[in-house]
Amino acid sequence: MSASTVPTAPRARRRPPASRGRARRFTHVGFVAALPFLAPALAAYIVFVVGPMIESVRLSFFEWSGFQGAPQEFVGLKNYVRIFTQDPVFWTALTNTVIWVVLSLVIPVALGLVMALALNRPLFGRNAFRSLFYIPGVLAPIAIANMWRWMYNPNFGVGVTLAEFFNAPWIADIQWLGDKNIALYSIFAAFVWQIAGTNMVLFLAGLQSVVPEHVEAAKLDGANAWQVFRNVTLPALRPVTVVVVVLTIINSIKVFDLIVGMTGGGPAQSTQVLALWSFTQSFGNHEYGMGNAIATVLLVITLIIVVPYMVWTARQEKNS
Amino acid sequence: MRAGRKSVALVAGAAVVVGLAGCSAGGSADGKTQITWFKLTETAETANEAIAQIVSDFESENPDIDVVVEERAVDAHKDALRTTLGTSGAPDIFFSWAGPGLGGEFIEVGASLDLEKYYEEFGWADRFSEATLETVTQYGQYDGVPYTQRGEALFYNKDLFAKAGVDAVPTTYDELVAAAEKLKAAGITPIQFGGTVNWHVMRLLDSILETKCGSDGYQALVTHEASWADEECVTETFTEFEKWTSEYLNPGFISINNDESSALFYSGEAAMALEGDWFNQVIRDNGMDESTVGLMPFPTGTGRLYGFNENNYISSNSENPDAAAAFLDYLTSEDAQKTFIAAFGSQSVNVNVQAEGGSELDQAWTPIFENATGIYMNNDQNLSLAETTEYWRIQNLVATGELDPADAGSEFQKFLDQQ
């Protein structure tokens, strides 16, 4: 079998020169034909995405207060030097962003997968559970922030109730959002609550692509549950895993609203992240150059993480 | 079909033109001149009602002018000003704080119209006190019309003071600390603050700074004439501040906001609140029995009162500056100011309007203002925005025990030196 298929595959892909020329013409003609349909979206994309992105990078080399009419002074790399060597908050924000991304790739992704596997089985109330876990994903993050801030309130929050219930006063003394060492993780708990259900839905969709015959065949070959999951289910989930991982990285790198709503970056900037610090420098401190330099760093980090991962997964996909 | 398309295009085009006309002409459909006023949403609902009444009265007297009031919360208001001033979307009148740090930047970028002409026309120079006029002329021209003159002081719960055995109102800083100690010993939270809005706790830090550094020292520090790293009083300030935040404030203050912490005062769980003269009305609106509330200046020992000014400015690109000036003239007139200070605080910017009547608490402000030898301003108004952000970071590091008070001054000075 292999002797006959291996040589034929490249031959099948090869086209005679005339045919390749035709294909190019067709592609060209196809592009021209598609242009009127693509144009509005392309124009909007260039105006509202590419343009601001370029403008943001440009502004990172200027000093500007952000006001209409105020002068923009070219300062070269000064803003970058300032954020890396003088800004007392930048490194905290960068560290917190990295912590947030790493935790996001582990906890809500794993939790979403586990919930999807559990709710993919025939189970009483399965749809109700699916809806229940998905609901936080459709709520506005700022509403979630308010709910969790209320729960963490040191005067009447859940800590007070738990302290009374367990007769353990120390629980009431925990400053969920006021303790520099735990505040970031307290907000992260709300993030997990918000996003795990969305991951679950994506994994559930992916699980529909697992061919039951393959599972049956693996079981007949004597594979245990873990081996079936490792060798059949997980490979089938690869495309959806790419989506989940990329979305998680992007969502976690630009996390903003939950932190604004729960701590505003405090106490003492200890829960600050790059996206919020970029906003604060631009809109709070009127340092648009600094703010855009931070945004550019954020863009570079995102590209460094996401692009190689997508290239790698595309190769994996091709090889398999 | 083609005719149909043309009709749709015409209707759509007409709609766009009408819409644009409505946006830019500054006039309403009935031929009236329309002026827009961007202002803060007031904390007390009664104050919002008072403003609505003043606007309504003005429109009755000036039937050719419509005043469109757009109110926003503090941060949203700042954002709105940043994004609209200097553009065609700018309001005719905008509210802003008068300090060089918070407000001055709008003037520096040319967003405010020089009102010298209107000061002469309406005789405003005689209407306002010297102190409020200084906030108008401090940038070299006539920027803005005085709106409020705010004082801040300690509100205290008389019942809780009595319960803790605090028999006399503290008149010195040491007596204030002793009172806080007694309250704490009695199981009462001495003073409430909400830490998520950094400016609330900042009031305590500013007041201790005035106490420990004196009025000259305070001014030298906030104008960068003195080094925060070298002045011993700065270390003393942060040391005292750490003591207050660790012992006398409501537990968990750093993770709640000012509204949440103020609820502790209304409910009698906290004995003191460091608030402004607007708080009289807020107390009433929140159902607290104001006869149980007393008032004393923070005992800094310098004689200066903690406070700040707020002004209303006319945008430099306003298309209706005359109508805007007419409204500001009415807003600061004797008639309107009587309505205004009944809901807004204790002092009118109009020198001819004195606080009369009112409750005992309202009247308590008069001697405080009269006896003040000057004003020490909130530091988020003295310092630039970036400096304020860093001042708050250091304040909160000390408040949460993350930074040694002895290092706080040098940490702040390091930031100032890099600016």
Side-chain angles (χ1 to χ4, degrees), chain B residues 100-395:
Chain B
L102 190 61
E105 59 189 325
F106 298 130
I107 317 301
E108 281 172 17
V109 295
S112 152
L113 185 72
D114 183 359
L115 304 181
E116 187 174 5
K117 178 179 107 177
Y118 299 112
Y119 269 79
E120 285 173 11
E121 181 182 338
F122 294 110
W124 284 343
D126 298 327
R127 180 178 293 181
F128 305 116
S129 68
E130 197 179 327
T132 54
L133 272 177
E134 275 176 17
T135 70
V136 169
T137 55
Q138 64 182 319
Y139 304 106
Q141 53 180 27
Y142 284 83
D143 291 294
V145 177
Y147 184 54
T148 66
Q149 187 178 3
R150 297 299 199 187
E152 294 152 281
L154 286 166
F155 290 75
Y156 63 93
N157 185 316
K158 295 174 187 170
D159 294 344
L160 293 181
F161 265 37
K163 190 177 167 189
V166 182
D167 302 323
V169 177
T171 54
T172 66
Y173 178 72
D174 290 340
E175 286 175 11
L176 181 65
V177 174
E181 195 59 47
K182 281 186 180 176
L183 287 159
K184 185 187 166 193
I188 299 163
T189 297
I191 188 165
Q192 56 85 7
F193 283 103
T196 57
V197 287
N198 305 287
W199 44 262
H200 205 212
V201 183
M202 179 196 70
R203 292 177 189 162
L204 177 63
L205 180 59
D206 290 351
S207 296
I208 299 175
L209 189 69
E210 171 83 357
T211 307
K212 292 296 172 187
C213 295
S215 51
D216 291 343
Y218 188 96
Q219 289 311 120
L221 286 166
V222 299
T223 54
H224 308 327
E225 285 166 13
S227 166
W228 292 72
D230 298 339
E231 299 295 328
E232 184 54 34
C233 67
V234 173
T235 300
E236 288 172 22
T237 297
F238 279 105
T239 304
E240 286 297 307
F241 177 68
E242 185 194 37
K243 184 179 173 186
W244 276 87
T245 53
S246 61
E247 296 186 29
Y248 304 139
L249 267 61
N250 43 304
F253 73 94
I254 202 78
S255 53
I256 63 172
N257 66 26
N258 58 311
D259 287 336
E260 290 165 326
S261 71
S262 294
L264 300 173
F265 186 74
Y266 311 140
S267 62
E269 292 171 65
M272 289 185 280
L274 181 47
E275 288 286 351
D277 51 358
W278 60 84
F279 204 57
N280 289 22
Q281 192 59 46
V282 178
I283 285 174
R284 283 191 278 268
D285 285 1
N286 280 279
M288 189 179 184
D289 178 5
E290 66 174 286
S291 67
T292 66
V293 180
L295 189 65
M296 58 174 162
F298 195 99
T300 59
T302 66
R304 297 205 298 178
L305 176 65
Y306 194 39
F308 58 91
N309 289 80
E310 297 162 329
N311 294 343
N312 280 302
Y313 303 83
I314 297 181
S315 293
S316 53
N317 57 350
S318 167
E319 290 182 6
N320 302 295
D322 292 346
F327 174 68
L328 292 179
D329 182 59
Y330 181 79
L331 184 62
T332 53
S333 67
E334 291 179 25
D335 281 350
Q337 283 295 302
K338 282 174 187 163
T339 308
F340 189 84
I341 62 165
F344 266 76
S346 57
Q347 301 297 303
S348 167
V349 290
N350 187 320
V351 291
N352 297 320
V353 178
Q354 302 300 324
E356 291 170 2
S359 66
E360 193 181 334
L361 187 61
D362 292 331
Q363 291 170 7
W365 279 102
T366 306
I368 289 176
F369 272 94
E370 284 176 355
N371 295 334
T373 56
I375 295 280
Y376 66 102
M377 202 158 52
N378 300 46
N379 271 340
D380 59 348
Q381 297 210 39
N382 281 317
L383 303 171
S384 75
L385 293 166
E387 290 165 358
T388 299
T389 303
E390 178 65 359
Y391 185 64
W392 287 342
R393 187 182 75 89
I394 290 165
Q395 157 196 298

Side-chain angles (χ1 to χ4, degrees), chain A residues 28-71:
Chain A
H28 178 69
V29 169
F31 179 72
V32 171
L35 201 55
F37 302 97
L38 283 177
L42 201 60
Y45 185 77
I46 289 168
V47 170
F48 295 113
V49 179
V50 179
M53 213 183 276
I54 294 169
E55 177 68 0
S56 176
V57 174
R58 187 189 71 80
L59 278 175
S60 71
F61 299 107
F62 286 79
E63 212 165 81
W64 185 42
S65 67
F67 287 103
Q68 186 89 357

Side-chain angles (χ1 to χ4, degrees), chain A residues 65 67-68 82 86 88-89 149 153-155 175 177-178 180 267-269 277 283-287, chain B residues 82 85-87 105-106 109 251-252 254-257 260 385-386 389-390 393 396-397 402 418-419:
Chain A
S65 67
F67 287 103
Q68 186 89 357
R82 281 177 73 189
Q86 296 171 7
V89 181
R149 210 160 64 82
N153 189 296
N155 297 318
Q175 299 301 320
L177 298 175
K180 185 177 183 286
Q269 308 288 8
W277 189 233
F283 295 94
N285 296 347
H286 292 186
E287 299 267 12
Chain B
R82 273 192 286 269
L85 294 183
T87 74
E105 59 189 325
F106 298 130
V109 295
I254 202 78
S255 53
I256 63 172
N257 66 26
E260 290 165 326
L385 293 166
T389 303
E390 178 65 359
R393 187 182 75 89
N396 291 339
L397 281 174
E402 300 288 335
Q418 290 169 346
Q419 291 296 293

